[in-house]
Amino acid sequence: MADFTALKPGATIGILGGGQLARMIALAAARIGLKCHVFAPEPDSCAFGVVRRATLAEYDDEAALARFAEEVDVITYEFENVPADTAAFLSSRKPVLPDPSVLATTQDRLTEKDFVTSLGIATAPYAGIASAAEILPAIRKIGLPAVLKTRRFGYDGKGQIKIGPKDDAARAWRSLGEAPCILEGFVQFTREVSIVAARSADGEVVSFDITENEHSDHILKVSRVPARVSASVGKEGRLIAQKIAEALNYVGTLAVELFVVGDGKDETLLVNEIAPRVHNSGHWTIDGATVSQFEQHVRAVAGWPLGKPLRRGRIEMINLIGTEIDDYSKWLGVPKAYLHNYGKPAARPGRKMGHVTKVLAEEPAAKDAKVAPKAKIKATPKTKAKPKGRGK
Ligand code: AMP
């Protein structure tokens, strides 16, 4: 990585990707005196409208990438599928944070699961499938029902199929284009939660409260904080995020999506996936906490100290999907409801167009945003996940 020193106010952060995450990073940066330059290939990128400089070019356009690198002080990204060549090209010119090695771990579900289990953190049981001959052995190992997922490029439920005992697994694999896959045991979770945390350049980790997430058609619909989990599960979530961030030598904001399994004293967590970026389940922090996930990310990549987020109460974040954005005006009169419209031109079905954060009840917030001591995690023994060797 190119040499890096803390940015001064007025410096420029380059962001790869021009969607709502880049837009909200740029808005947070502007508030604390930093500029942003967004690089994205889509002409209607909604982040273009809020930044000082924008580059509209493909990720393999080396001339455009070189100019972009020349004009910024540090580079970050809003999505995990940044092509490896793009990240390598840029990191030879300017610091790229989080380090591109993080992308190599998190772009591939099998490599990511191997990494998580190598830390002694539980996941659903899983097996890789690289050819038709590996389907039956994987099913024998994992059992059914299971979820077949492509190793790369899956999101919002795309690139995955649930397989039950009566289903034709080979056909399911063919329907995913015979791509390299991972078969995961189907988890009977009680709820889905996530932890959003940030790690600074000097290694401090600060996490937000564990957040409960409700999906509709595989797309996040509502996040609620606090999540309905025990205090010990909340603490376990923070430690999992901290351990992952430290093992990746991560700089910036990341999210860990988790399943809650069991109940009462047996309640525990399984990691579903890591998002090496700011995350939809952390949008509530803009209006619901004293420092947001976006500002934490900006502070981290700028080499600045992180903030200590205090939650403003019981919070609900509702995604406005597709034409739901057309009803924006109904939110304008709701007390303690904060409307965010990403300014996207076309409200296609399933497209995240905006969100609303509601502060439902003010609470004493003192418990929030603990800075955890050095991560110390015991492997959770109640899962069937078998630790495997490190990935490919
Ligand atoms: P993913 O793309 O891996 O985040 O999966 C999208 C959604 O599918 C998750 O939020 C879960 O609701 C569901 N899902 C994914 N993997 C599993 C699993 N192994 N068991 C049960 N549900 C799953």
Side-chain angles (χ1 to χ4, degrees):
M1 189 179 90
D3 284 343
F4 182 64
T5 48
L7 302 187
K8 297 264 187 313
T12 300
I13 297 172
I15 306 174
L16 297 171
Q20 67 269 20
L21 301 180
R23 179 180 168 106
M24 290 184 273
I25 291 171
L27 292 170
R31 194 168 66 79
I32 55 175
L34 292 160
K35 297 176 188 134
C36 288
H37 180 160
V38 165
F39 186 113
E42 300 85 10
D44 62 353
S45 294
C46 68
F48 285 168
V50 302
V51 290
R52 186 182 174 90
R53 292 274 291 126
T55 297
L56 176 63
E58 297 296 328
Y59 293 119
D60 60 0
D61 180 340
E62 293 198 346
L65 288 171
R67 277 197 305 277
F68 169 71
E70 198 53 43
E71 292 179 16
V72 302
D73 298 291
V74 64
I75 296 166
T76 188
Y77 39 89
E78 63 139 23
F79 69 115
E80 56 272 51
N81 287 318
V82 173
D85 288 348
T86 306
F89 181 88
L90 291 171
S91 65
S92 66
R93 289 166 166 76
K94 282 285 157 68
V96 176
L97 294 170
D99 188 87
S101 61
V102 168
L103 295 172
T105 306
T106 54
Q107 281 176 350
D108 181 319
R109 290 185 190 272
L110 184 59
T111 312
E112 180 177 285
K113 285 236 163 30
D114 285 343
F115 164 71
V116 170
T117 53
S118 77
L119 299 177
I121 299 170
T123 68
Y126 65 94
I129 294 178
S131 67
E134 289 178 7
I135 297 174
L136 277 182
I139 290 176
R140 259 183 238 119
K141 180 179 171 201
I142 304 306
L144 293 174
V147 187
L148 185 67
K149 302 180 178 178
T150 56
R151 283 173 59 172
R152 298 172 71 88
F153 302 119
Y155 70 98
D156 286 349
K158 295 188 176 62
Q160 61 176 271
I161 300 180
K162 185 176 174 189
I163 304 176
K166 291 192 183 137
D167 294 326
D168 180 344
R171 195 163 147 196
W173 186 59
R174 283 196 299 276
S175 76
L176 294 178
E178 304 189 357
C181 278
I182 180 171
L183 188 72
E184 285 179 22
F186 186 79
V187 178
Q188 299 289 355
F189 53 79
T190 48
R191 47 187 56 99
E192 292 187 81
V193 296
S194 56
I195 283 275
V196 175
R199 185 168 179 272
S200 67
D202 60 9
E204 183 192 22
V205 177
V206 176
S207 56
F208 293 93
D209 270 359
I210 193 162
T211 300
E212 185 167 337
N213 301 314
E214 186 186 311
H215 296 84
S216 166
D217 293 332
H218 293 282
I219 300 173
L220 181 66
K221 185 61 196 155
V222 185
S223 288
R224 297 185 178 89
V225 213
R228 290 167 296 166
V229 294
S230 65
S232 69
V233 161
K235 193 168 158 205
E236 186 188 347
R238 286 178 194 272
L239 289 174
I240 286 172
Q242 178 168 13
K243 191 159 192 184
I244 288 172
E246 284 172 354
L248 291 171
N249 197 20
Y250 197 89
V251 178
T253 294
L254 91 174
V256 183
E257 295 177 23
L258 303 137
F259 298 129
V260 181
V261 290
D263 46 29
K265 280 214 298 272
D266 291 336
E267 192 178 66
T268 189
L269 294 170
L270 304 179
V271 167
N272 176 28
E273 65 181 358
I274 303 169
R277 53 172 169 82
V278 290
H279 192 257
N280 196 168
S281 68
H283 289 3
W284 66 266
T285 60
I286 301 176
D287 307 299
T290 50
V291 62
S292 74
Q293 63 162 348
F294 301 99
E295 183 172 333
Q296 295 289 61
H297 187 72
V298 169
R299 289 180 183 223
V301 303
W304 293 7
L306 300 176
K308 306 280 180 277
L310 298 175
R311 185 159 48 81
R312 298 192 198 277
R314 196 156 61 79
I315 313 288
E316 194 169 279
M317 188 285 309
I318 303 159
N319 268 342
L320 301 178
I321 296 167
T323 52
E324 285 172 351
I325 196 69
D326 297 344
D327 291 335
Y328 70 91
S329 61
K330 90 171 189 206
W331 294 105
L332 297 174
V334 178
K336 295 188 184 164
Y338 300 86
L339 174 70
H340 296 251
N341 185 334
Y342 307 144
K344 295 183 182 178
R348 288 195 292 272
R351 197 175 196 201
K352 293 173 182 172
M353 301 298 293
H355 72 265
V356 172
T357 305
K358 292 201 275 178
V359 178
L360 296 174
E362 314 247 328
E363 276 178 3
K367 281 188 288 156
D368 235 349
K370 278 181 211 122
V371 179
K374 276 271 173 221
K376 208 189 328 162
I377 298 181
K378 279 197 250 127
T380 38
K382 285 198 176 55
T383 71
K384 284 187 273 169
K386 294 195 177 57
K388 295 184 60 171
R390 288 298 291 267
K392 308 164 288 171

